[in-house]
């Protein structure tokens, strides 16, 4: 092997002892040093800042809205295409930000070896820049430097190295591209971003040496725009061997710079793409197009997922960027019709539910975090009966996505996702979105929904003049500079985990207050005038810990009897809850509701590391059901937006400890509770068990279409020694 250190590492060192040394000695020191470095990222959601942007470079795509409401797209373009290399030559630039994928699992080293193995044809080469990780699992790459390598003829050569810089900075990417294009042009050129992804808001390439700063889409556009004049031809493809970057916002940003986009709507398994298969395909036919190569990338990726039994969650698409303009224009027409209908509460309810019920990616729940990435085709299909223009937009989307694969758990994937604020994680999120939104009417609609979330559904006072008025400063040349984050400073997003029992601070009101009826069932009725504002109703169950005066949350479920015509909702609770085989109930939150299955997540510790169990409930034809653990997924980092790559299988002997959020009786967050150790025995089946004897608190969570939630007052029920359940006031 080219990297002998990889095979020797585990022979000479104890991995557990090394990790302890790294976690408590090396990592804190690197962090302290980083705090004094100008290249260091920033903490919390501040890591979404644009770092290293060249302000002298104009944007390569501009959206324009004229006074008469007409919409246009202006992109940089070349009058003449001139090849940058000999016929059949390929240079694929790889921006490899290793992070924990390398420092913990050696996955970047694996892919470097695959690239070496797949370059038998001398016309194919990779130019790789490395950085962004605490530790490389080989003897060649240095974690204290940025290095550049040539991979060709099944060999790897160090070309140059420099002081470590932030891989999440536009300046670092721009320098690499300028250098690479000047020294290693080819007839066909590709660019791959290798790392974690977080979707349109969080971006890609999270540098763990720089506080997990990432490249936003605006930074990527800035870097590509900075080398545009140096190129006489476009990249044949730009791909993301990373999670969640198959988005329409990504495609729109890349459209002037590449012919094809390769990206996944959903998370990717850690092993990522199969570079041996990619290299072999290019070696066999160096004259193929980006569309032909894209099929190989996608098929080999899906096949490798099948080898690890992770193909059911997989998605990957090849997108023809020459067709993006037609999709953007068609979607803008849909967005204009959506926005014009938003003052009609009946239509608005249907429209928002079309967004919130569409297939979404990256978790989007309390336990795992939010990416707010939703399948564009699912949205258009959901809206097609109520909003005109959807069929045309679906046709345009289908023409853009020239090839894709999606697993059985992602049946409604159409190849590109779009940002929709299922749950806004702070006002900075909207500030980032305004720079990459593909439609003025959609931006205004998203802003209006955010305003409604802050104003309890009151839309009559919303003012769209900053976005659509004749004097709007936003659309046109340098539009991203005209409205800054302070625009949203008046919107409040409560970061504290607090339950809202106050009906006056909600868009929803009761016709019949929550109470027990004569049959002992707990329920309520929503007023006809606010029923349209109800998006979903769940039951929320808590275990009473009287000695601590706290309520331990057992999670959310959709097991509620609902009459959407009359607005009547009632509990359908039997006292049974998901539990480990040792009887410990799990805090479970519903993630996805399919036609024949539900997906849940449960916060746990596995071998002392916080993560989430993914649990699947399959409804059988005979009316029975089966519940089993799919694996563990770390979710979305709440501060950086970085998505964990894969759902990992549990192994025999893994130690599982349930975790629960605890609240005061008033609904304020109190603490994190942990359960007892359970030793996994390789049996993934779990059961619904009757809750242990004791008192429990029951509440309904009523989600409104604006992203807010109202909770009914707690009702108490008791599980007695005979397994009987009694609600009481």
């Amino acid at each position: 092997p080219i990297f002998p250190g990889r095979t020797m590492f585990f022979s000479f060192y104890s991995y557990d002892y090394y990790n302890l040394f790294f976690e408590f000695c090396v990592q804190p020191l690197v962090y302290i040093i980083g705090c004094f470095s100008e290249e260091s990222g920033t903490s919390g959601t501040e890591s979404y800042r644009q770092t290293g942007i060249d302000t002298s470079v104009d944007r390569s795509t501009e959206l324009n809205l004229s006074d008469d409401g007409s919409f246009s797209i202006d992109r940089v373009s070349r009058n003449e295409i001139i090849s940058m290399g000999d016929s059949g030559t390929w240079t694929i630039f790889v921006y490899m930000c290793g992070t924990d994928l390398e420092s913990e699992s050696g996955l970047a080293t694996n892919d470097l070896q695959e690239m070496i193995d797949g370059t038998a044809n001398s016309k194919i080469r990779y130019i790789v820049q490395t950085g962004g990780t605490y530790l490389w699992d080989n003897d060649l790459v240095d974690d204290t430097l940025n290095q550049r390598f040539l991979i060709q003829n099944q060999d790897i050569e160090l070309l140059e190295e420099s002081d470590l810089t932030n891989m999440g900075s536009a300046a670092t990417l721009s320098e690499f591209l300028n250098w690479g294009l000047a020294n290693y042009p080819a007839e066909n050129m590709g660019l791959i971003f290798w790392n974690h992804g977080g979707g349109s808001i969080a971006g890609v390439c999270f540098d763990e040496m720089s506080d997990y700063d990432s490249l936003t889409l605006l930074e990527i556009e800035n870097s590509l725009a900075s080398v545009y004049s140096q190129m006489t031809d476009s990249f044949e493809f730009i791909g993301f061997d990373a999670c969640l970057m198959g988005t329409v916002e990504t495609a729109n940003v890349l459209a002037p710079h590449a012919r094809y986009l390769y990206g996944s709507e959903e998370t990717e398994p850690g092993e990522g793409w199969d570079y041996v298969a990619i290299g072999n395909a290019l070696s066999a036919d160096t004259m193929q197009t980006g569309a032909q190569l894209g099929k190989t990338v996608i098929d080999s990726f899906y096949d490798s997922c099948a080898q690890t039994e992770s193909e059911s969650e997989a998605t990957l698409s090849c997108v023809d960027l020459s067709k993006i303009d037609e999709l953007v224009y068609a979607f803008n027409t849909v967005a204009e019709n959506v926005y014009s209908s938003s003052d009609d509460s009946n239509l608005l309810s249907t429209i928002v539910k079309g967004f919130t019920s569409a297939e979404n990616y990256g978790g989007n729940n309390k336990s795992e975090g939010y990416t707010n990435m939703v399948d564009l085709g699912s949205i258009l299909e959901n809206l097609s009966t109520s909003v005109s223009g959807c069929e045309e937009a679906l046709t345009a989307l289908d023409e853009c996505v020239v090839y894709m694969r999606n697993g059985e758990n992602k049946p409604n994937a159409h190849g590109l996702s779009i940002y929709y604020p299922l749950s806004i994680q702070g006002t900075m999120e909207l500030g980032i979105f305004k720079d990459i939104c593909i439609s003025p009417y959609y931006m205004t609609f998203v802003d209006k929904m955010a305003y409604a979330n802050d104003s309890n559904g009151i839309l009559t006072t919303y003012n769209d003049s900053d976005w659509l008025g004749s004097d709007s400063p936003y659309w046109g040349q340098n539009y991203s500079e005209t409205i800054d984050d302070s625009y949203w400073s008046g919107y409040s997003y409560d970061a504290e985990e607090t339950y809202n029992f106050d009906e006056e601070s909600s868009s929803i009101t009761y016709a019949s207050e929550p109470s027990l009826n004569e049959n002992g069932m707990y329920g309520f009725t929503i007023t006809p005038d606010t029923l349209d504002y109800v998006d979903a109703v769940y039951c929320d169950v808590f275990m009473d810990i009287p000695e601590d005066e706290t309520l331990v949350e057992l999670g959310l479920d959709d097991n509620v009897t609902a009459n959407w015509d009359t607005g009547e909702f009632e509990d359908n609770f039997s006292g049974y809850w998901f539990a480990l085989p040792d009887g410990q109930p799990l805090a479970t939150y519903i993630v996805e509701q399919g036609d024949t299955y539900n997906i849940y997540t449960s916060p746990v510790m596995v071998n002392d590391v916080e993560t989430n169990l993914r649990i699947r409930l399959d409804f059988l034809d005979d009316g029975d059901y089966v519940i089993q653990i799919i694996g563990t997924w770390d979710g979305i980092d709440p501060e950086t937006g970085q998505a964990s790559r894969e759902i990992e299988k549990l192994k025999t002997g893994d130690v599982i400890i349930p975790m629960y959020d605890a609240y005061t009786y008033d609904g304020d967050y109190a603490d994190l509770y942990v359960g007892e150790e359970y030793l996994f025995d390789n049996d993934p089946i779990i059961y619904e068990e009757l809750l242990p004897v004791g008192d429990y608190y029951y509440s309904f969570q009523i989600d409104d279409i604006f992203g807010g939630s109202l909770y009914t007052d707690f009702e108490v029920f008791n599980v007695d020694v005979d397994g009987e359940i009694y609600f009481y006031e």
Side-chain angles (χ1 to χ4, degrees), residues 19 305 554 689:
N19 275 350
C305 290
L554 296 182
E689 300 283 357

Side-chain angles (χ1 to χ4, degrees), residues 563-583:
N563 187 323
W564 288 94
D565 294 324
T566 64
E568 296 175 284
F569 298 87
E570 194 174 78
D571 85 83
N572 190 31
F573 188 64
S574 64
Y576 285 79
W577 204 257
F578 288 0
L580 291 172
D582 64 359

Side-chain angles (χ1 to χ4, degrees), residues 202-258:
V204 70
C205 292
F206 297 79
D207 188 323
E208 70 178 358
M209 303 287 279
S210 299
D211 205 14
Y212 294 91
D213 186 27
S214 63
L215 286 169
T216 65
L217 290 182
L218 186 59
E219 287 176 305
I220 291 173
E221 181 188 16
N222 180 260
S223 296
L224 293 171
S226 73
V227 299
Y228 185 85
S229 61
Q230 185 179 330
M231 302 175 66
T232 59
D233 196 359
S234 299
F235 288 100
E236 185 65 17
F237 75 88
I238 296 178
F240 294 84
D241 193 355
C243 300
L244 299 161
M245 298 307 295
T247 80
V248 70
E249 292 89 1
T250 304
N252 186 59
V253 161
L254 300 184
H257 305 286

Side-chain angles (χ1 to χ4, degrees), residues 486-680:
S486 64
Y487 174 89
W488 290 278
S489 61
Y491 296 2
S492 61
Y493 297 93
D494 188 1
E496 290 187 30
E497 297 185 62
T498 302
Y499 279 80
N500 171 28
F501 299 102
D502 183 7
E503 184 182 350
E504 293 183 358
S505 64
S506 171
S507 62
I508 298 166
T509 56
Y510 300 121
S512 175
E513 294 285 334
S515 62
L516 289 176
N517 63 24
E518 63 274 10
N519 298 318
M521 306 297 287
Y522 184 39
F524 60 90
T525 305
I526 300 296
T527 58
D529 60 320
T530 63
L531 181 59
D532 284 334
Y533 291 157
V534 179
D535 184 42
V537 177
Y538 301 99
C539 64
D540 206 355
V541 178
F542 301 79
M543 184 188 310
D544 187 14
I545 311 294
E547 61 269 24
D548 294 332
E549 297 185 348
T550 56
L551 301 174
V552 171
E553 186 176 39
L554 296 182
L556 289 174
D557 200 1
D558 64 345
N559 192 12
V560 173
T561 301
N563 187 323
W564 288 94
D565 294 324
T566 64
E568 296 175 284
F569 298 87
E570 194 174 78
D571 85 83
N572 190 31
F573 188 64
S574 64
Y576 285 79
W577 204 257
F578 288 0
L580 291 172
D582 64 359
Q584 290 187 90
L586 291 166
T588 52
Y589 302 88
I590 193 161
V591 175
E592 182 180 336
Q593 296 163 284
D595 293 334
T596 61
Y597 68 92
N598 282 353
I599 302 292
Y600 297 85
T601 186
S602 177
V604 295
M605 285 191 291
V606 175
N607 303 327
D608 295 326
V609 176
E610 291 188 14
T611 185
N612 303 277
L613 289 182
R614 273 290 181 99
I615 299 167
R616 180 182 173 111
L617 185 154
D618 284 291
F619 301 102
L620 305 180
D621 293 338
D622 61 3
D624 202 356
Y625 53 85
V626 175
I627 312 169
Q628 57 184 332
I629 298 170
I630 302 172
T632 64
W633 188 54
D634 292 346
I636 309 299
D637 187 293
E639 295 184 347
T640 66
Q642 172 182 291
S644 298
R645 269 219 181 184
E646 67 207 295
I647 297 175
E648 297 184 357
K649 302 291 185 182
L650 288 169
K651 301 180 294 296
T652 301
D654 282 343
V655 178
I656 302 173
I657 301 176
M659 297 194 303
Y660 315 87
D661 286 325
Y663 297 83
T664 68
Y665 291 136
D666 293 327
D668 295 325
Y669 186 76
D671 204 352
L672 180 69
Y673 267 57
V674 297
E676 301 294 328
E677 291 186 357
Y678 168 72
L679 201 64
F680 183 66

Side-chain angles (χ1 to χ4, degrees), residues 184-206:
Y184 298 96
E187 181 185 33
N188 306 287
M189 294 177 294
L191 171 61
I192 297 173
F193 293 93
W194 191 104
N195 185 239
H196 289 289
S200 294
I201 301 300
V204 70
C205 292
F206 297 79

